[in-house]
Structures are given as C-alpha cells and as structure tokens.
Amino acid sequence: MTHLECSLTGERADWRVPVNLSPAGRPYLARYDLSPDIMPQSAVAQRPAGLWRYCEVLPPCEPLSLGEGGTPLHHAERLRRNWWIKDEAVNPTASFKARGMAVAVAMARHFGLKRLAVPSAGNAGGALAAYAAAAGLEAFVFMPSDTPLACIVEAQCHGARVELVDGLITDCAALIGERKEAEGWFDMSTLKEPYRLEGKKTMAYELIEQLGRVPDVIVYPTGGGTGLIGMWKAFDEMQALGWIGAERPRMVAVQASGCPPIVRAFEAGERFATEFQNASTSASGLLVPKAVGDFLILDAIRASGGLAMTVSDAEMVWAAREIASKTGVFASPEGGAAYAAARRLHDRSLIGNDELVVLFNTGSGLKYLEALGGQT
Ligand SMILES: *Cc1c(COP(=O)(O)O)cnc(C)c1O
C-alpha cells in the first residue's frame, strides 16, 4: 500500500494516520503499487481460505479474524442453468459486513483507536460489535428503532453500547457526527473510513479464484454501495496483478422500490444522487437514503454497461423464499432482491440465456424472520 487517494479529486493522503472523509467530503481509496509479480494467483491458491489470504492488497496490519471470507459459490442450477449464488450469509455475524469490519477494526487497533462508532440499519452494527469484542475495543452502535430484532440483540450481546434512534440511518450518522468529538469516537461509517471497502473488495478476488473467469453479470443488492464499489476497484487491481484482462462484468445495482436514490440518479443520467425522502423497506441493508459514495456506484455501473433497478419488498421476499426452497441457501430479502432483479432482466432479454450470472446473497434470512415469515 502506498497512499490514500480522494475518490473525487485524486488528492493524496498519508495512510499512516487514521482518516475519515477527504477535504472534498468524499471517500478515500487505498492505493497499492501493483504488478504481476506481487501476488501471483498460484501463490494465493496455496494459502488458507479467508480474506487475509489477499494480504498484499490489504492494508499492512496485524490480521483480525473470526473466519470471514472464503464463502461458497453455489451453482444455482435450479434457478437457471448458468446462475450462481455467492453466499455471504455464512460469514461470521451472518453477513458480508464481517469482511469490511475485519479489516477496518484491524486497522483501528493498529492505530491505537479505542472507541469505535457506527450507524447501522442492520448488519453493520453486529459486525462492528463482534470484531470490536474480538479486538478488545469499545463499540457504539446507533440503529433506527425498527431495525430487525436479531441485529439489535446481536450487537448488544457482543457488548456494544446500542442506542435506538427514532429515525433513519442518516439520522443515526448525524448523531455520531455531532457527538464523536466530545465522546472520543472514531467514525466507522461505511466509506467514511477507507478499510471497510478493502475488506469487502475481497468478494471479487474470491469470485475470480472460484470461477476461473470474469462473470458476465454481477447482481448486487446496493445500499451504501461499498460491496459494489469495492468489487469494481478489485477488478482493476486484479488486472494490474495479471489475474484478469480488460474484461469486466456488467454490474447491476438493485435497490428497494421504497428507497431507490441510486436508481433515480441512474435513470436521470446524474452522477450524484439526492437524498430519498420517506425511505422504507424491510431489506434493512438497502435502507440507505443517501450514500457518500453515490458517484462511485454510478460511475461503476455505467462504465460496466450495467444498470440500476428497483424491486418491491413483496418481490424480494417472494424471491428470497424461492432461493431458500430451490437452492438450500436461506437468503435475506437483499439476496432475494438480487434474484428478483435478475429474473426480470432475463425476461426482458437484458440477460442472455447463456450468460454467467452471479447473484449475491449478502446476508442470512435468519436475521429477517419478521419480514420473511410474514407471507406463507
Ligand atoms: C449492508 C447490506 C447491504 C448493502 O451493502 P452495501 O455494500 O453497503 O451496498 C446489502 N445486504 C445486506 C444483507 C447488508 O447488510
């Protein structure tokens, strides 16, 4: 790793001190000096499973691990012949948020930070709480009061100080912003520190190792966009490392029809998204009315030839149950959203019959019993 770079202006920053947003108010991206001899795929193949096997493209720090990464890629033949499910539900704390927090908390510990705060509408709170517990650090989690019970209880049991807020995740984030200086909290909000992205990008490295090629389409349930932005960054890194060529998957960002700021901006041809008012969806990972990395999501989708689209809560719950009953993967509503979107794109011939499609199940259905159990 050589430096941090503002994702909007390219302004550089030193990575050896903890940072949040750049002076432009945008995310910093970690940059590395990459060439094909730095991390040969054949060498990585010999290493233990899990995200720390990609250590050359992660920040240099003592690894912190609860066994995150190395998740299965299931051939979901009963959904469609060439469709696959990357099952992130089997991560520690039952979602892909574990990947981001493993790296971000490891770096927080490296910097000697002690009190870590995060706003969360679902899985980020539990993941921060668990990794903070493993590292012996304090966690402060701000959640909307209608967050799924499993997510609240999980964060509490891992010893986090949990505050329930009558509002949305943006209100939780604002509270942290107001109080962090007085409380000595470090803000671990997604994309407001550089390393959750680095953890999440490892999903793309795993995909390339597992498939042996770049898929035609990736369908990704998108809230803050960290997973999608991280994977898009990882493809460029893998090209520099000689793992892949210039080919890229079409990136499809799926949002809930009750909270679609990125889809609105995509359809309007805009690079930045305006905050979506009165947001609501039972897919709590998608309940993000305003994303600080909006332009990074939109740039990636457009550069890839992909698109952004919505599905309704009823569709995603139906689709999650369809995944569960046809593949054995107990998908979250967010995973259901990816499948529902892919079906619609296939119906409209925007996904071809022979194309290799990867659907992300970002979390476990076990966290969403209220939403998934409602309709039988
Ligand atoms: C956080 C979350 C998402 C959205 O992830 P981003 O990468 O921030 O867009 C999707 N699904 C689940 C289950 C989540 O917890």
Side-chain angles (χ1 to χ4, degrees), residues 96-97 123 200 220-227 285-286 334 362-363 368:
F96 80 118
K97 292 291 195 300
N123 292 303
K200 287 183 176 184
Y220 192 85
T222 303
T226 321
L286 307 186
E334 293 86 348
T362 42
Y368 301 84

Side-chain angles (χ1 to χ4, degrees), residues 195-268:
Y195 302 112
R196 286 175 64 181
L197 184 83
E198 293 304 286
K200 287 183 176 184
K201 79 180 181 186
T202 59
M203 293 189 291
Y205 282 88
E206 283 178 21
L207 261 192
I208 295 304
E209 285 201 278
Q210 289 171 316
L211 284 173
R213 56 162 285 193
V214 175
D216 296 306
V217 182
I218 288 180
V219 187
Y220 192 85
T222 303
T226 321
L228 191 148
I229 297 164
M231 287 195 281
W232 191 249
K233 177 176 188 281
F235 288 121
D236 285 348
E237 293 175 0
M238 284 187 273
Q239 187 175 356
L241 289 164
W243 285 32
I244 62 172
E247 70 279 17
R248 294 290 183 274
R250 304 201 296 287
M251 306 295 284
V252 175
V254 186
Q255 297 205 294
S257 49
C259 184
I262 299 300
V263 180
R264 287 279 174 90
F266 178 78
E267 289 174 350

Side-chain angles (χ1 to χ4, degrees), residues 66-87:
L66 292 169
E68 59 294 324
T71 59
L73 179 69
H74 299 294
H75 190 178
E77 275 176 297
R78 292 190 63 209
L79 299 184
R80 199 165 290 284
R81 180 158 42 87
N82 214 4
W83 289 16
W84 300 70
I85 296 180
K86 181 75 169 154
D87 187 16

Side-chain angles (χ1 to χ4, degrees), residues 10-12 51 192 203 220 230 309 336 338 364 375:
E11 185 180 337
R12 288 178 174 225
L51 68 76
K192 288 188 185 165
M203 293 189 291
Y220 192 85
M309 62 185 284
S364 169
Q375 316 179 5

Side-chain angles (χ1 to χ4, degrees), residues 96-97 120-124 148 168-169 219-228 252-263 276 279-291 297 309-313 315-317 332-341 360-363 368:
F96 80 118
K97 292 291 195 300
S120 171
N123 292 303
L168 290 168
I169 189 169
V219 187
Y220 192 85
T222 303
T226 321
L228 191 148
V252 175
V254 186
Q255 297 205 294
S257 49
C259 184
I262 299 300
V263 180
F276 189 82
S280 123
T281 170
S282 60
S284 58
L286 307 186
L287 196 49
V288 183
K290 172 124 189 85
I297 306 170
M309 62 185 284
T310 60
V311 303
S312 70
D313 276 30
E315 282 175 290
M316 59 179 96
V317 168
S332 59
E334 293 86 348
Y339 176 48
F360 272 85
N361 178 43
T362 42
Y368 301 84

